[in-house]
């Protein structure tokens, strides 16, 4: 499991407890966040988290090995979404999923600045052309979309067309 944009491990730590025989890869572009993740893991005696310093264009994930990439309130921050999506897609196992959680732009009552919101339409507009297909949704959170994507196996990168 990858917690992409893991920060100090708010999600990575509880996920690691759920997969004691698996591994959680905590990716962030800020070294200080990874230092906090390491310290919190040490204090909690959790040893199945691997902190990874990603870049603006590459999360540095192993190819074809990740069963779930969880990206909570972080995708909208990507400065290079096409490159990131390419690497995320390559990292997914054959049945792997990308779970995007983003604040709903469609709802003006969500108390988050518009800059930090995304509509389902915008998410689909970005992910479908980059080789993903929507495989599920969860709409019961009060403020956020949860959308699950798998690889679209019929997709070809633009350079191969």
């Amino acid at each position: 499991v990858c917690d992409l944009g893991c920060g100090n491990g708010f999600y990575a730590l509880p996920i690691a407890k759920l997969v004691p025989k698996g591994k959680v890869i905590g990716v962030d572009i800020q070294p200080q966040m990874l230092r906090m993740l390491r310290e919190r893991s040490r204090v909690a005696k959790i040893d199945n988290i691997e902190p990874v310093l990603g870049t603006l264009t590459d999360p540095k994930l192993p190819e074809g090995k990740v069963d779930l990439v969880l990206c909570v309130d972080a995708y909208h921050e990507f400065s290079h979404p096409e490159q990131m999506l390419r690497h995320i897609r390559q990292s997914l196992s054959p049945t792997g999923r990308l779970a995007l959680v983003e604040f709903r732009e469609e709802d003006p009552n969500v108390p988050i600045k518009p800059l930090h919101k995304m509509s389902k339409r915008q998410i689909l507009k970005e992910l479908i052309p980059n080789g993903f297909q929507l495989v599920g949704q969860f709409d019961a959170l009060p403020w956020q979309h949860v959308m699950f994507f798998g690889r679209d196996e019929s997709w070809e990168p633009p350079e191969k067309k």
Side-chain angles (χ1 to χ4, degrees):
V1 175
C2 170
D3 180 1
L4 186 55
C6 67
N8 69 8
F10 184 83
Y11 295 105
L13 291 164
I15 291 169
K17 292 176 184 176
L18 295 172
V19 293
K21 294 183 180 178
K23 179 168 72 171
V24 174
I25 304 168
V27 178
D28 210 289
I29 61 169
Q30 299 180 57
Q32 64 272 30
M33 288 292 139
L34 296 176
R35 282 193 294 276
M36 285 194 275
L37 173 61
R38 282 186 192 91
E39 178 60 17
R40 292 186 71 211
S41 298
R42 184 190 65 74
V43 168
K45 295 180 173 44
I46 295 173
D47 62 2
N48 62 334
I49 296 178
E50 177 187 345
V52 172
L53 182 63
T55 70
L56 295 175
T57 59
D58 187 352
K60 307 287 185 180
L61 295 170
E63 192 168 321
K65 302 281 186 193
V66 182
D67 294 314
L68 175 65
V69 174
L70 176 65
C71 190
V72 179
D73 303 326
Y75 176 77
H76 70 274
E77 299 283 351
F78 290 178
S79 60
H80 297 80
E82 286 183 30
Q83 292 94 328
M84 288 294 283
L85 289 171
R86 176 78 52 96
H87 288 291
I88 292 167
R89 187 178 188 282
Q90 290 170 345
S91 77
L92 291 177
S93 67
T95 59
R97 297 290 181 253
L98 166 61
L100 282 187
V101 181
E102 287 288 340
F103 287 102
R104 290 188 188 121
E105 182 183 59
E106 299 89 339
D107 186 349
N109 295 317
V110 173
I112 298 294
K113 292 181 181 180
L115 178 66
H116 300 291
K117 295 179 177 183
M118 287 192 80
S119 68
K120 284 185 177 183
R121 187 172 150 258
Q122 183 64 37
I123 292 168
L124 292 170
K125 185 177 178 182
E126 293 186 23
L127 271 82
I128 302 302
N130 283 288
F132 289 89
Q133 61 183 346
L134 183 66
V135 295
Q137 300 181 68
F138 180 77
D139 294 315
L141 294 180
W143 294 342
Q144 294 155 301
H145 303 294
V146 182
M147 300 175 76
F148 299 94
F149 293 89
R151 293 189 309 208
D152 177 352
E153 298 301 343
S154 68
W155 179 81
E156 289 186 30
E159 61 270 10
K160 290 193 175 186
K161 290 182 179 180

